[in-house]
Every structure is written in C-alpha cells, then in structure tokens.
Amino acid sequence: MRISRKIEIDYGHTLPNSFSFCNQLHGHRGVIVATVEGKMIERTGGDEEGMVMDFKFLKEIMVEHIHDKLDHGFAVWKEDHEDLEFILKRNSRVLITDEPPTAECLAKWAFNQLRHRLPEGVLLREVRWYETPNNWADYDGIQ
C-alpha cells in the first residue's frame, strides 16, 4: 500500500548557468509530495490500525526536515560564489547545494532528508518536487 503527503513552501533560488530567466534571483511556491509504502497496520484497536502510517506523522517529518530548513529561505549552489556570498549576508535560512538547485536537485535533497526518518517497515518510494504547478521532478532514490 502506498500513501502520499503534500507540503508547500516558499523558497528562492538561482541557476547561474541557465540561458533563461532562471539565472536571476527568483522565488517559487514549491509543493513537495512524499510517497511512502508499507503494509497496513493490523494491530486491532491500535490508533494506526488500517494505516501504513499516520499522515500526521509523515507531515511532521516533512515539516521538520524540509519546510523548516528551506521555507522562506534560499537554495544556492556551492559553486555560485557571487550569489552565495550575497545570500549568506542577507538570509538566515540558506540551503547550500552540491549541484545547481534545480527541481531535480531539490527533489533528491528532500528524498534524502526523509529516507531514514520513517517508521520501521515504511519505505520512501518517491518525492515529487513541484517548482511550479506545471513543472516538477520525481526522485525515487535511484541514480
């Protein structure tokens, strides 16, 4: 059985090597969807009976390890020295990435934030990172 939970954040980034407007400092309303898989809990009378895990707990993990690290913050590539220096002077919430902070990179980052924080027997299958309502990246831990 698979279940999914969505959170939303506001964040900024820049892609310095992009040929489009993305090479400028700008922001997005990001939507992040985590899909987990596991067996339905059969413990009769338990508060999670019939669930893979409680959506409340999945939300708490996502908020602590994604929202609280990047919401109203800025994702900047460690090789983008000019923007990194500027952002570090201006922002207290900065995510420094090992690669340009594309939707693909951020989906992978979010996946890695969650993968080892789930209850025993629950596996993270995918994180979907919506950069805009029409553009997203899916990451499943492979590659």
Side-chain angles (χ1 to χ4, degrees):
M1 176 68 67
R2 290 184 180 178
I3 64 168
S4 298
R5 180 65 166 101
K6 165 179 94 167
I7 63 169
E8 298 183 20
I9 65 172
D10 296 297
Y11 70 99
H13 75 151
T14 182
L15 303 175
N17 297 332
S18 176
F19 64 90
S20 69
F21 291 120
C22 289
N23 65 13
Q24 300 179 49
L25 300 175
H26 64 284
H28 292 285
R29 176 69 176 176
V31 176
I32 300 96
V33 180
T35 299
V36 301
E37 180 178 274
K39 292 184 178 184
M40 291 172 50
I41 297 168
E42 296 177 1
R43 203 172 39 248
T44 304
D47 58 353
E48 293 182 329
E49 183 179 1
M51 300 178 187
V52 171
M53 71 179 289
D54 194 314
F55 285 114
K56 176 183 185 265
F57 299 130
L58 182 53
K59 176 186 176 186
E60 288 173 357
I61 294 166
M62 294 174 75
V63 166
E64 180 179 353
H65 298 285
I66 298 170
H67 177 278
D68 292 353
K69 294 184 184 295
L70 189 54
D71 185 57
H72 284 82
F74 206 90
V76 62
W77 183 28
K78 70 181 182 182
E79 299 299 323
D80 182 3
H81 303 290
E82 182 179 356
D83 288 334
L84 180 58
E85 182 180 338
F86 174 76
I87 296 302
L88 287 172
K89 286 180 187 175
R90 302 264 311 148
N91 290 55
S92 60
R93 193 172 281 187
V94 179
L95 173 64
I96 301 171
T97 60
D98 290 332
E99 49 201 345
T102 60
E104 296 90 337
C105 168
L106 293 172
K108 184 163 83 172
W109 168 78
F111 186 96
N112 289 326
Q113 290 296 106
L114 303 176
R115 74 183 322 160
H116 298 297
R117 294 182 165 93
L118 298 170
E120 186 176 331
V122 178
L123 301 173
L124 181 60
R125 283 297 173 205
E126 179 179 87
V127 168
R128 175 169 282 182
W129 188 284
Y130 285 90
E131 188 171 86
T132 71
N134 298 317
N135 301 305
W136 66 85
D138 294 325
Y139 186 72
D140 62 6
I142 301 171
Q143 188 184 32

